[in-house]
Amino acid sequence: MPDSPVRVLLIEDDSDDYVIARDSLAEIEDGEYLLDWASTYDEGLAIALEGRHDVILVDYRLGDRTGVDLVTEAIRGGCTTPMIFLTGQKDREVDRAAMQAGAWDYLVKHDIDAVTLERSIRYALQRRRAEERAEHLQAREKEMAWCLQKALLIDAPPKHVEGLDIGAVSLPSRSVDGDFWGFEEYDRDHFDVLIGDVMGKGIPASLAGAGTKHHFQRCARRLILALREFSRMPDPEEIIAAVHHATSSDLYQLDTFVTLWYSRFDMATRTMTYVDAGHMRTVHYCAAERKVELLQGDNLPLGVALGEIYAQKRVTFGAGDVFVFYSDGLTEARNPDGELFGEERVVQAVEESVHQPAQEMANYLCDAAKSFAVNNGLRDDVTCVVVKIAAAFPPRPVAHSAMEVHSNPKELDAMRKLVEWFCRDQAPARFTEHEIATLVLAVSEATTNILDHAYWGTRHRRVQVDLRAYEDEVHVDLADWGRPFDPDAVQQPAFDGSRERGFGVYIIQQSVDSHRYYRDDLGRNHLVMVKRAMGREATGTSE
């Protein structure tokens, strides 16, 4: 028996039976029992719902009500305390009704003694502990499964895709499901979004989703290599066809299928090319016309028809447009009356939140479905991805060059010469020699900081420099895989010589017109520096 006293509640309208129960508990030598007595149905139910006791003893006859009614009502009200049924006669119908209502044991009063009562209570306590351990293990497994699902099926939205604002949300249902999404940034102009949903629930659906997403990444990578000699990247329909070839037989044998939507945003042509494989219709908000269009393709889900030929469609977009991709968990959120959230409410929520940032829009849409379901809960995972086109398209560079060097001071001279050549011969703006020299100084100082601090002075690490020229300015992007850098933590230099640190950042600040630091989704540190040509007005392209 446990070291602490066992708290017992007796719900019994006969005082003589209370005395018998009290005396029987007192005779038990292996443990200490604290007995509380409720003499009426209403009082007993109220105390039972408080959840303060370890075991509840319930009499069959409680005035004009029965203990079966009390057990049923208590469980319905959320009571999880083990309840042992007491009655004055042997009646199989009463026994059956009590156990069906949720009682843990059944005792006949005139057969009860200290040994019988202790055995029943001990059994109830041990069973309750076993159930609690099982519940804890189940909750832990569910948490681990959700973490695994999040790691394998759900990518973090990229934060630095030029011209796009991206937000994504996933609200888990009561179980692990097969919703997944992914993002792929090929270059400055091309960005892909994938969202899919596996038929079914639980671990099998989650594993099928992880496998399908893996095939997308693998097929896309192989197609990029295969099409390199043709100097082009694979189209969405080619990637889908490759994934279909790799997965359809297995999905068909497993008697399941995957709906998905695959989009490619081309910022140069301002088009979105997509393949819809039986997925939910995508919401496209056109900012110029202030209206919503629902996009839809013609293809079947993966795993439905082995001979399916996937074909892509194309839609143009403008500044300020919004695309919303989602799973059926959003539209199929159901309120207590059985009504679905539906596509019309999705469109309404998009129109209500269209002026918010992408992440806030995604949150708003999912919260709207969750609020609609109220206490009914979400029966399927709700996933939502929002892509917002920038209100003004960023200007395109007129010249571009890049170089990768090792973290060796001897290679810095090649980087300096590249910056000088680019500013003199490639940039359309005419930079003075002083402006070129100050930019080269900033690049040299930043690269030295990378060698000394990000890489701790080690050699043979890589530093990348990316140069882009616009009408009247040059952007220099230095990238490394070293230790992260927090520019806000750097103190201003002490010009009186009392402190040596801080001069590198100060030199960079004084040498360029603007700069910013960030860490990308690949773990690279970026320092972007902008230098404008003297006497020219800024074009708004500074970082």
Side-chain angles (χ1 to χ4, degrees), residues 1 55 82 84 99 103-106 116-131:
M1 293 298 293
V55 177
I84 300 172
M99 302 305 287
W104 289 42
D105 202 356
Y106 176 93
T116 304
L117 189 57
E118 179 192 18
R119 183 170 60 243
S120 182
I121 292 176
R122 185 191 295 271
Y123 164 75
L125 293 175
Q126 291 176 345
R127 177 181 165 187
R128 180 56 185 157
R129 292 191 194 96
E131 288 191 355

Side-chain angles (χ1 to χ4, degrees), residues 12-32:
E12 169 66 70
D13 59 359
D14 189 326
S15 60
D16 291 338
D17 288 337
Y18 160 67
V19 173
I20 293 174
R22 182 195 63 190
D23 293 345
S24 297
L25 291 174
E27 292 178 15
I28 300 175
E29 298 179 354
D30 292 342
E32 181 182 357

Side-chain angles (χ1 to χ4, degrees), residues 237 344 431:
E237 63 185 8
E344 291 184 5
F431 287 88

Side-chain angles (χ1 to χ4, degrees), residues 61-336:
R61 292 292 179 187
L62 295 169
D64 58 352
R65 306 288 297 277
T66 70
V68 175
D69 297 330
L70 190 144
V71 170
T72 302
E73 195 170 352
I75 293 176
R76 188 179 299 147
C79 177
T80 59
T81 306
M83 287 179 277
I84 300 172
F85 209 70
L86 305 177
T87 184
Q89 57 184 346
K90 294 182 178 180
D91 188 328
R92 289 189 177 276
E93 292 300 321
V94 173
D95 182 1
R96 186 177 295 111
M99 302 305 287
Q100 289 177 347
W104 289 42
D105 202 356
Y106 176 93
L107 298 176
V108 179
K109 289 183 180 180
H110 59 74
D111 292 337
I112 296 176
D113 55 20
V115 174
T116 304
L117 189 57
E118 179 192 18
R119 183 170 60 243
S120 182
I121 292 176
R122 185 191 295 271
Y123 164 75
L125 293 175
Q126 291 176 345
R127 177 181 165 187
R128 180 56 185 157
R129 292 191 194 96
E131 288 191 355
E132 288 177 345
R133 287 194 293 269
E135 290 171 358
H136 176 75
L137 180 61
Q138 186 178 26
R140 178 59 180 160
E141 289 178 346
K142 184 177 180 180
E143 179 184 359
M144 293 177 63
W146 167 241
C147 291
L148 181 64
Q149 179 184 10
K150 186 176 180 181
L152 296 178
L153 303 184
I154 300 174
D155 293 348
K159 300 178 181 179
H160 303 288
V161 180
E162 190 168 359
L164 299 178
D165 179 21
I166 304 162
V169 173
S170 178
L171 296 179
S173 61
R174 297 186 180 95
S175 62
V176 177
D177 287 325
D179 285 8
F180 60 93
W181 72 55
F183 307 99
E184 189 67 46
E185 186 179 5
Y186 292 101
D187 53 37
R188 175 186 176 88
D189 292 323
H190 300 94
F191 178 77
D192 289 2
V193 176
L194 166 69
I195 183 168
D197 187 5
V198 180
M199 185 196 71
K201 298 183 182 297
I203 299 297
S206 180
L207 292 176
T212 303
K213 183 181 176 184
H214 167 73
H215 279 296
F216 265 96
Q217 297 166 336
R218 180 171 177 268
C219 291
R221 184 168 58 249
R222 293 182 65 186
L223 280 171
I224 289 173
L225 293 175
L227 296 175
R228 180 176 294 173
E229 60 183 305
F230 301 103
S231 300
R232 72 175 183 88
M233 60 193 304
D235 288 330
E237 63 185 8
E238 294 172 326
I239 296 175
I240 296 291
V243 175
H244 171 65
H245 176 74
T247 63
S248 58
S249 296
D250 292 338
L251 292 172
Y252 192 80
Q253 291 178 4
L254 292 171
D255 194 25
T256 189
F257 59 83
V258 180
T259 71
L260 56 89
W261 184 286
Y262 195 91
S263 289
R264 171 165 301 152
F265 290 86
D266 189 326
M267 302 305 292
T269 62
R270 300 180 185 180
T271 58
M272 192 267 279
T273 304
Y274 64 90
V275 175
D276 174 19
H279 201 69
M280 308 303 296
R281 295 200 290 180
T282 289
V283 179
H284 175 204
Y285 175 82
C286 178
E289 300 180 15
R290 296 184 180 180
K291 70 175 186 179
V292 167
E293 179 184 7
L294 296 175
L295 306 178
Q296 186 175 19
D298 304 316
N299 286 120
L300 296 172
L302 299 183
V304 173
L306 299 182
E308 181 76 354
I309 303 298
Y310 290 90
Q312 62 194 26
K313 293 186 175 183
R314 184 173 287 108
V315 62
T316 60
F317 58 78
D321 281 14
V322 180
F323 293 88
V324 179
F325 314 94
Y326 55 92
S327 67
D328 59 4
L330 186 66
T331 54
E332 294 180 4
R334 193 181 299 269
N335 67 14

Side-chain angles (χ1 to χ4, degrees), residues 527-540:
L527 174 63
V528 181
M529 297 173 287
V530 177
K531 187 68 175 180
R532 299 191 184 97
M534 182 180 296
R536 305 284 302 253
E537 292 294 328
T539 62

